[in-house]
Amino acid sequence: MSDIIKLLPDHVANQIAAGEVVQRPASVVKELLENSIDAGASQIKLLVKDAGRTLVQVIDNGKGMSTTDARLSFERHATSKINSADDLFALNTKGFRGEALASIAAVAHVELKTKTEGEEVGTQIEIEGSVIKSQEVCATLQGTSIAVKNLFFNIPARRNFLKSDSVELRHIIDEFQRVALAHESIAFMLYHNDSELFNLPIANKRQRIVGVFGPKTNEKLVPVTEETEIVDIDGFIVKPEFSKKTKGEQFFFVNDRFIKHPYLNHSVSAAFDGLLPDRARASYFIYLKVDPKSIDINIHPTKTEVKFEDEHAIYTLLRAAVKHSLGQFNIAPVLDFNRESNMDTPYSYKNKEAQVPKVDVDRSFNPFEQEQKVKTSSYSGTPHYEKKNAAGWENLYDGLDKRNSSNSFSHLQIENEPETESLFVEHESKGFKDLKETDSDSANTYQLHNKYIVSAIKSGMMLIDQQRAHQRVLYEEFLRNITVKESVSQQLLFPLRLNYSPAELAIFKDLKESLENTGFALSMPEDGVLEVSGIPASIQESEVSIVLEQLLSDVEQEVPDTGFSQTDVLAKSMAKSMAVKTGEKLDELSREHLVNKLFACTEPTMSPFLKKTFITLTVDELDRKFNA
């Protein structure tokens, strides 16, 4: 039998490794930024074109590389960070496995320019698909510049799996923010298609957070600090009233490395218990310092997951620190049964001598001035007094025995509250009339548990999920409005001013045209502010921020069962936010209108998220259940 096991060629092995390390342009950004930080750079510039498809370039002023190091940096498992297996458990650097540059070079065109301090000239290397095309000296500044062009040029299938430019840019911004938040002592700049998105100078942690998420963030932050033998905790939490329903502002850093840790996230959420609005999530920027020997960061290719030696102790300490901070800054209510707060001495009266109270007496006061003394009879020594206007009090009771209809409670009128308008306007549609009984004068639909609409049909009965049905109706309506560009908009007397981070505003800028086609009127008068002067006719002013927050979340997470276009994502998100919810009571007219509109849709059987909108039960099926 012939041998069947063979060694893979280097270029194939590099492409396989690239599948783990380089998943999208954002992966390249993360690896290159971390290499610049390890090189001791104090200023890092990131240039991106076409959301990373065409170019990802990182320029730093670090210590640079020699000619030999520049060549070896593209070999697999070539690293300066570790010499033995024991070094894996005492890491203080970002990269250490030596796979990043080799994996990137296997699936892209890479151009490297680098020069060390004291050298007159640097080194320039060009690589295409793991093949070195040229290596020569060049004139360049101290530090390193790596340009990654035409990502996945030799793997078309991987390139086709990339999302739209807006989605890929969002991932790049996320990686940039994570690295920038962890290293406030380094200046960062981000440019996309020659336009500046971020310019972050050297600052402290609070200034860096404000620089990333906008000036309005400063008033939302509450500091958290705790030092123990196990872990040092530093950072900020966001006040509960500013919490969001998205996961956007949840950051954990361990030894200046961004991580995802559901267990620690639960610790912070537990500290906020009872303080957050319904379905809102706690926002935080928590920096943890632990002994490198007590964690293992080599358990995931992207190094965003770590294993702590004593997770339970860190969980307890973190929850206690957050609770202490909430109480210290009067965010959480404090109950102290040992003293009464109203017994505390006001600050303005401290260190003052007590004054003896003085009593003023009106010696001319005579309570009997209004009474006249009456002569007493000869046989009685008890005095009698007669009051003036003695009958005055009796006048208060005049008329009680009269039946005055004007003052009777039998004619008491109570002002009624105005009736709320129907959810749907009255509109006739023929989409469902053929299925309904035509010889019944009673109601055609009924609501079950404020969730399902029951309707009789010729063959039996139909159960309609009101939320999914309304999602389908709104989804097709928004798609039609965006495509035809004809929508009804109601202008606001006082425009709404909503605060968002630069990254979130970039998403709205990209969606601006589609949002305007649905009825929104948007503008961005200043940094960090989105002004809404018009909204769709089917939405209330109080729901605008909820709809836009849901839209941000769906765009960032690409919506479950994501669509094929930006329009589809927008229509799905708005339909999900604005549809009637389970538990809402609908009157008969609203139910009839919803049923008619549903069966006028092009695809009434499924919601936009591919869930059934209704089921039918025939009379035969009901008979079998009774006769079983």
Side-chain angles (χ1 to χ4, degrees), residues 205-206 209 217-226 233-239 272 284-287 320-331:
K205 285 184 172 62
R206 179 185 282 267
I209 295 172
T217 310
N218 189 39
E219 64 186 51
K220 306 176 184 179
L221 301 179
V222 177
V224 178
T225 304
E226 191 70 40
I233 302 173
D234 189 17
F236 301 90
I237 54 177
V238 176
K239 295 178 182 178
F272 276 88
Y284 50 81
F285 306 87
I286 304 294
Y287 299 80
V322 174
K323 274 195 171 185
H324 175 71
S325 182
L326 289 171
Q328 182 181 7
F329 292 92
N330 297 324
I331 306 300

Side-chain angles (χ1 to χ4, degrees), residues 383-400:
H384 292 274
Y385 299 95
E386 182 180 354
K387 295 181 181 180
K388 291 182 179 181
N389 302 325
W393 64 272
E394 297 177 353
N395 295 331
L396 297 175
Y397 298 92
D398 290 346
L400 283 181

